Amino acid sequence: MRKILILVLLLVLAPAVRSATAADPPSQPNVLFISIDDLNDWTGAMGGNVQAKTPNLDKLCRQGILFTNAHCSQAVCTASRNSILSGLHPSTTGWYSSTAMMRRTYDQVMGDHKMLPQHFKDNGYETLAVGKVFHQGVSDYRDRTDDFWNVTGPNYKVSKKLRARGEGYGGTKFYPFPKTGSQIIDRYGKKYADGNSLCYGALDRVDIPNGKMYDELIAEWAVEQLQQQHDKPFFMAVGFVRPHVPYTAPKEFFDLYDLDEIIVPEVPDDEMADIPMMGKSIAYGTLRSGDHHAVVNLSDTYWREMVYGYLACVSFVDAQAGKVLDALADSRYADNTIVVLWSDHGQHLGEKKHWRKQALWEEATRVPLAFKVPGVSKPGTQSAEAVSLLDLYPTLVDVCGLPPAPALDGESLLPLIRDPSQTREQPVLINWYYGNYAVRSDDWRYIRYRDGSEELYDHRCDPAERTNLIGKEGFTEIIDQHSRWIPKEDKLPAGSDSWKGDALDRRIEKWRADDSVPDWLQ
């Protein structure tokens, strides 16, 4: 009789036990890993542009710790993201550019080392991803995607009609282009199609596939995942695409700004006078006339319009990130989820007469980086120490208590998260492709190009990097302190056995041969 009573009690209580278990999130912390493509310091919290309206990102920064001097390891999507996710510097791997080359050399470069999501997955986490996490989406390695992620979100489908506006620009995730196509092609013709993404435009919903930008679908998918029951701790990567070019977004985000009041970066006419030839070649950009020349000559207002478009896209992506952050705050996971916000690199909007990332100056390398670590980070704190996006991998392993990954080039930020007043000695090493380096410390930026030419800037009095101190007296010790962090031998691009030069070198050779450095770069 007693056994029967016990059995009845168990049957009655079992649903309640299951319900209580289902309501309790896993005890190990979750990770919400939010990336925003091409976001420079134009947010309210970072203060790079006082016009920027980013209430959701600013709120997150107030809830945790903001690293105000964070930098990428290379200012281009493919190299930066593979560096972050592998935890290895481009000067270690030789992964400077081509995704196809990275796929071919993956085994050779990675060996037994694992990408960040795989390390979490192999240590008991459910891993989820949507959007642009790697360069090409949730993975740059199709045959390894299942090694990285348990669950992945949808891609973006764009009709042929809408794709035609992009004139063959690759990657549907970046669409749609402006209603009438790129202003660059409209003004200069099809021969400028190689740089046609340098354009902007407000979109009505009928101009957008099924009325929704990809970032809106990304946010919806992430929100849905946060509303579900997860029986294991999760690592969720949410990769937003904007403000990557083209600078298009729904019209309501352009309406947040007044075009007539937009302020463009202040750029002196002689900005490039003290820049070495390799720096000038980098600044030249993609368009056949040079990017800056094309922008300022398209119309008297096009520079302002481009800034307008970028700011609208920043506010648009802020709103999408806000949806995800609000969903987390309303979920059962709110008190046990680490949130990290990062961008893969910055973006020039005319500074140094440059219009891309792909450079070694502050605007290209400096990024927002914020952590909210329940029970560890303190609300409203900041650290001005120079830190690297390479530090993401070891930091997340550290705060989640995972086994260490031995072959990492970064170092954990946990000591700084716990105590933002702490300091660290090591500066940030940054590449721009093969043999070109910048070293960013707390107060200085030192650049050395592969031809031996140099730049040096004192950020205590020259945050816009307008005065190159190379050749001036009194800086030998500073140069020596920074140059010692540059590798003694340049790592050849993975899969190569020699260096034969590239487009930057060929441009310089042509300029020297016919004395044709453009006037606007002198």
Side-chain angles (χ1 to χ4, degrees):
M1 185 68 176
R2 184 181 177 187
K3 289 182 178 179
I4 294 174
L5 287 172
I6 292 173
L7 181 59
V8 171
L9 284 170
L10 287 174
L11 290 172
V12 170
L13 292 174
V17 171
R18 284 197 298 271
S19 177
T21 302
D24 294 334
S27 58
Q28 197 165 8
N30 307 299
V31 177
L32 180 57
F33 191 70
I34 300 176
S35 61
I36 297 180
D37 205 4
D38 288 22
L39 180 62
N40 58 21
D41 62 2
W42 287 18
T43 69
M46 294 287 285
N49 187 311
V50 297
Q51 299 171 294
K53 298 177 182 179
T54 54
N56 297 290
L57 300 182
D58 299 344
K59 180 180 177 181
L60 174 62
C61 292
R62 290 193 301 270
Q63 293 173 337
I65 180 170
L66 173 65
F67 290 90
T68 61
N69 195 10
H71 298 266
C72 62
S73 58
Q74 182 166 309
V76 70
C77 300
T78 305
S80 178
R81 289 170 181 269
N82 276 277
S83 177
I84 292 164
L85 294 165
S86 69
L88 304 176
H89 200 281
S91 64
T92 297
T93 61
W95 283 355
Y96 300 116
S97 59
S98 166
T99 309
M101 175 271 294
M102 293 176 185
R103 284 194 287 266
R104 288 196 300 270
T105 61
Y106 188 94
D107 289 331
Q108 170 193 338
V109 169
M110 292 290 286
D112 294 331
H113 184 56
K114 298 174 182 177
M115 290 285 181
L116 173 62
Q118 185 176 359
H119 189 66
F120 270 79
K121 187 180 182 210
D122 290 352
N123 283 283
Y125 272 71
E126 179 187 15
T127 56
L128 309 93
V130 65
K132 187 177 178 183
V133 181
F134 285 83
H135 174 53
Q136 294 189 336
V138 297
S139 176
D140 285 341
Y141 311 93
R142 186 175 300 175
D143 59 340
R144 302 177 189 274
T145 304
D146 291 342
D147 295 336
F148 304 152
W149 311 109
N150 297 108
V151 185
T152 58
N155 293 319
Y156 195 41
K157 296 180 180 179
V158 180
S159 68
K160 289 184 179 180
K161 179 180 178 181
L162 290 178
R163 290 195 71 177
R165 296 180 187 171
E167 302 285 347
Y169 188 79
T172 56
K173 57 185 170 291
F174 302 117
Y175 282 69
F177 272 66
K179 297 179 184 180
T180 57
S182 170
Q183 291 92 344
I184 292 290
I185 292 181
D186 184 60
R187 167 67 174 79
Y188 296 111
K190 293 290 184 71
K191 63 183 179 180
Y192 278 71
D194 58 346
N196 68 325
S197 62
L198 208 61
C199 62
Y200 85 101
L203 301 173
D204 294 320
R205 290 293 171 176
V206 295
D207 303 305
I208 305 171
N210 298 313
K212 291 183 179 179
M213 300 282 287
Y214 189 29
D215 282 341
E216 293 174 298
L217 299 180
I218 290 168
E220 288 178 1
W221 187 89
V223 168
E224 181 182 344
Q225 301 306 311
L226 289 168
Q227 293 170 343
Q228 294 180 10
Q229 167 68 27
H230 298 278
D231 297 325
K232 298 197 296 184
F234 61 77
F235 179 102
M236 185 187 303
V238 181
F240 292 111
V241 175
R242 288 296 183 268
H244 191 289
V245 291
Y247 299 145
T248 56
K251 181 179 180 297
E252 59 263 32
F253 295 95
F254 282 82
D255 291 342
L256 295 174
Y257 301 91
D258 184 340
L259 176 59
D260 293 334
E261 295 181 1
I262 290 293
I263 302 169
V264 304
E266 182 181 345
V267 180
D269 290 340
D270 62 351
E271 175 82 297
M272 304 302 288
D274 57 3
I275 302 299
M277 290 288 275
M278 185 63 73
K280 294 179 193 290
S281 185
I282 289 171
Y284 189 84
T286 301
L287 293 166
R288 60 179 57 210
S289 64
D291 293 343
H292 190 69
H293 185 270
V295 168
V296 298
N297 285 282
L298 191 146
S299 75
D300 292 340
T301 61
Y302 197 58
W303 190 345
R304 179 153 37 95
E305 292 168 37
M306 289 295 288
V307 171
Y308 175 52
Y310 185 82
L311 286 169
C313 288
V314 169
S315 291
F316 165 69
V317 79
D318 173 81
Q320 309 320 308
K323 295 174 186 176
V324 180
L325 293 169
D326 287 346
L328 174 63
D330 292 337
S331 76
R332 68 191 72 181
Y333 309 108
D335 298 328
N336 194 37
T337 299
I338 296 161
V339 182
V340 55
L341 168 75
W342 56 277
S343 177
D344 50 357
H345 43 67
Q347 175 75 19
H348 282 249
L349 273 298
E351 304 93 343
K352 281 286 189 291
K353 299 188 178 182
H354 186 51
W355 282 91
R356 310 285 174 176
K357 44 265 188 172
Q358 299 153 321
L360 289 170
W361 298 300
E362 185 83 349
E363 290 80 8
T365 73
R366 185 173 178 232
V367 296
L369 175 62
F371 277 86
K372 179 184 176 184
V373 184
V376 181
S377 61
K378 298 177 181 63
T381 54
Q382 295 187 357
S383 171
E385 292 295 296
V387 300
S388 172
L389 292 179
L390 281 171
D391 301 332
L392 282 169
Y393 196 146
T395 302
L396 290 172
V397 167
D398 205 358
V399 296
C400 293
L402 271 59
L408 296 177
D409 287 333
E411 59 181 285
S412 176
L413 296 171
L414 184 54
L416 289 171
I417 294 173
R418 284 178 172 148
D419 181 4
S421 67
Q422 288 200 25
T423 60
R424 64 195 299 187
E425 177 189 3
Q426 185 170 341
V428 181
L429 177 67
I430 305 159
N431 274 97
W432 171 235
Y433 204 52
Y434 171 75
N436 299 315
Y437 299 97
V439 178
R440 182 63 162 91
S441 61
D442 291 351
D443 296 326
W444 301 86
R445 175 180 295 272
Y446 170 68
I447 296 173
R448 189 173 76 198
Y449 298 109
R450 58 178 175 244
D451 60 4
S453 57
E454 300 167 297
E455 298 174 40
L456 178 68
Y457 302 100
D458 184 349
H459 271 259
R460 296 170 300 181
C461 59
D462 185 20
E465 298 183 344
R466 297 220 173 96
T467 302
N468 182 6
L469 298 172
I470 293 296
K472 302 183 186 300
E473 293 185 7
F475 299 101
T476 301
E477 184 178 352
I478 293 295
I479 293 170
D480 289 344
Q481 289 173 357
H482 287 72
S483 63
R484 69 185 179 91
W485 294 99
I486 293 177
K488 302 302 180 187
E489 294 184 10
D490 295 326
K491 179 78 172 182
L492 286 168
S496 302
D497 55 13
S498 63
W499 175 249
K500 299 177 181 178
D502 62 9
L504 297 175
D505 300 308
R506 291 189 288 274
R507 183 179 291 140
I508 293 171
E509 290 171 4
K510 182 180 185 306
W511 283 347
R512 285 179 171 153
D514 53 20
D515 192 23
S516 60
V517 178
D519 291 342
W520 56 274
L521 281 175
Q522 298 189 37

